[in-house]
């Protein structure tokens, strides 16, 4: 397009008065641009592919006439326009559609492209599923560790409670030395010079908290008829067995 000559009559005749509203100027400019586009579209020559497509669409949309040899043979055999094919009329009514390949890719390329897209989608779904499983497994492991820590803290508290009760009940029976060093809550000492105490300490350290709790509660029940979960000292073994639910925290829950 040639550049607009600002000294031409077309430019001079434009209404550029200061009082002309801005909306009117914009509207006129838009209308001028649309007219120019329409003129360019009319003057543009259609490509060979576009002309072939228009002719092909026109032929496919039009019905077959008597000049078509195939249609003429069908009519001789009794076929009527709009009737389904076949002796009993169970065949197709419309002709088989014509699928024209316009791209430059080889045969089967679209199927291959579709299959790759499906495989990519399936791989993405599998990754999401595996990630979800990993998150669920991590959450389960966290809950198990948290529950285990809670149970360990509870057992440690029950052990300290049993040690205090054992020390108090032993002293009431004038027992000055515990049966095991860890049966009582040991006072904090910086240095321990007694070798026997060190050996006992090593032996007790080999036991877990649950094992210590089981041994100590059994000692309290047998020696003092006392249950730490009931918080009661029974009169005799018969009274203990008949009135105490059991010898563990689970039996008392």
């Amino acid at each position: 397009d040639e550049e607009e000559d600002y000294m031409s009559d077309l430019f001079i005749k434009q209404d550029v008065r200061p009082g002309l509203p801005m909306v009117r100027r914009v509207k006129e400019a838009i209308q001028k641009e649309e007219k120019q586009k329409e003129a360019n579209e009319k003057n543009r020559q259609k490509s060979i592919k576009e002309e072939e497509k228009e002719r092909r669409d026109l032929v496919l949309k039009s019905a077959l006439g008597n000049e078509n040899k195939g249609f003429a043979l069908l009519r001789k055999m009794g076929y009527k326009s709009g009737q389904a094919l076949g002796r009993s009329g169970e065949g197709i009514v419309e002709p088989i559609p014509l699928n024209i390949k316009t791209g430059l890719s080889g045969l089967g390329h679209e199927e291959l492209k579709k299959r790759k897209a499906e495989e990519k989608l399936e791989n993405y779904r599998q990754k999401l599923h595996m990630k979800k499983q990993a998150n669920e497994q991590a959450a389960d492991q966290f809950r198990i560790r948290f529950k285990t820590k809670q149970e360990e803290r509870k057992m440690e508290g029950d052990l300290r409670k049993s040690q205090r009760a054992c020390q108090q009940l032993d002293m009431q029976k004038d027992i000055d030395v515990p049966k095991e060093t860890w049966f009582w809550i040991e006072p904090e000492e910086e240095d321990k010079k007694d070798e026997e105490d060190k050996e006992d300490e090593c032996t007790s350290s080999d036991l877990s908290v649950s094992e210590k709790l089981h041994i100590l509660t059994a000692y309290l029940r047998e020696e003092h008829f006392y249950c730490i979960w009931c918080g009661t000292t029974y009169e005799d073994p018969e009274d203990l067995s008949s009135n105490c639910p059991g010898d563990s925290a689970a039996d008392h829950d």
Side-chain angles (χ1 to χ4, degrees):
D1 297 337
E2 296 182 358
E3 294 183 358
E4 189 173 1
D5 187 4
Y6 293 100
M7 298 303 294
S8 63
D9 295 338
L10 181 61
F11 182 81
I12 295 173
K13 289 180 181 179
Q14 290 183 357
D15 193 351
V16 292
R17 291 173 294 173
L20 187 65
M22 183 62 67
V23 177
R24 182 178 172 185
R25 295 181 185 176
V26 174
K27 186 176 180 181
E28 290 179 352
I30 294 174
Q31 290 177 352
K32 181 180 178 182
E33 185 178 355
E34 290 178 353
K35 290 180 180 180
Q36 186 66 32
K37 286 183 179 180
E38 291 177 359
N40 294 338
E41 188 67 23
K42 290 180 181 180
N43 296 330
R44 186 177 67 87
Q45 293 182 354
K46 296 181 180 179
S47 63
I48 297 176
K49 289 185 178 181
E50 291 176 342
E51 292 179 355
E52 289 179 352
K53 185 177 182 304
E54 289 179 358
R55 289 197 299 268
R56 183 172 60 248
D57 294 341
L58 181 62
V59 172
L60 292 175
K61 289 179 181 178
S62 60
L64 295 176
N66 295 328
E67 67 279 1
N68 185 276
K69 293 182 179 181
F71 186 72
L73 290 174
L74 287 174
R75 293 194 63 181
K76 287 181 180 180
M77 289 186 291
Y79 175 77
K80 295 180 181 180
S81 181
Q83 182 182 356
L85 298 178
R87 180 176 297 178
S88 57
E90 73 279 3
I92 61 174
V93 178
E94 298 294 332
I96 298 175
L98 179 63
N99 295 324
I100 299 176
K101 186 177 181 302
T102 57
L104 299 178
S105 58
L107 295 175
H109 177 72
E110 293 298 329
E111 288 75 8
L112 178 62
K113 188 177 179 181
K114 182 179 179 181
R115 186 170 65 253
K116 287 184 177 180
E118 292 176 352
E119 292 176 354
K120 186 177 181 180
L121 180 61
E122 184 64 23
N123 293 333
Y124 177 72
R125 289 175 178 173
Q126 290 181 359
K127 288 181 180 180
L128 287 180
H129 182 66
M130 293 175 62
K131 186 177 181 181
K132 182 180 179 182
Q133 285 184 338
N135 292 336
E136 291 177 354
Q137 186 177 3
D140 292 339
Q141 292 177 355
F142 173 78
R143 284 191 291 268
I144 292 172
R145 289 196 301 268
F146 183 74
K147 185 178 179 180
T148 304
K149 287 183 179 180
Q150 282 187 324
E151 291 176 352
E152 290 178 354
R153 291 175 182 174
K154 187 176 184 302
M155 284 191 293
E156 289 175 356
D158 292 339
L159 179 60
R160 289 192 296 270
K161 182 179 178 181
S162 300
Q163 288 172 335
R164 287 193 292 268
C166 181
Q167 185 175 1
Q168 184 178 0
L169 292 172
D170 284 347
M171 288 182 175
Q172 288 177 1
K173 287 189 176 183
D174 297 330
I175 299 175
D176 298 332
V177 179
K179 186 176 180 180
E180 297 289 344
T181 55
W182 54 270
F183 273 22
W184 293 5
I185 295 179
E186 298 179 2
E188 296 182 358
E189 298 179 0
E190 295 182 358
D191 298 324
K192 289 185 179 180
K193 298 181 180 180
D194 194 348
E195 295 295 334
E196 294 181 358
D197 291 344
K198 289 183 180 179
E199 292 178 359
D200 293 340
E201 183 182 357
C202 294
T203 304
S204 63
S205 63
D206 294 337
L207 298 174
S208 63
V209 176
S210 60
E211 290 173 342
K212 288 182 179 180
L213 181 62
H214 179 71
I215 295 171
L216 185 54
T217 51
Y219 170 78
L220 291 173
R221 293 173 68 87
E222 294 172 0
E223 183 69 24
H224 302 290
F225 315 121
Y226 178 77
C227 176
I228 63 167
W229 293 288
C230 295
T232 305
T233 302
Y234 295 91
E235 295 180 359
D236 50 40
E238 294 181 359
D239 186 23
L240 176 65
S241 61
S242 60
N243 294 316
C244 182
D247 57 353
S248 65
D251 296 331
H252 292 74
D253 290 341

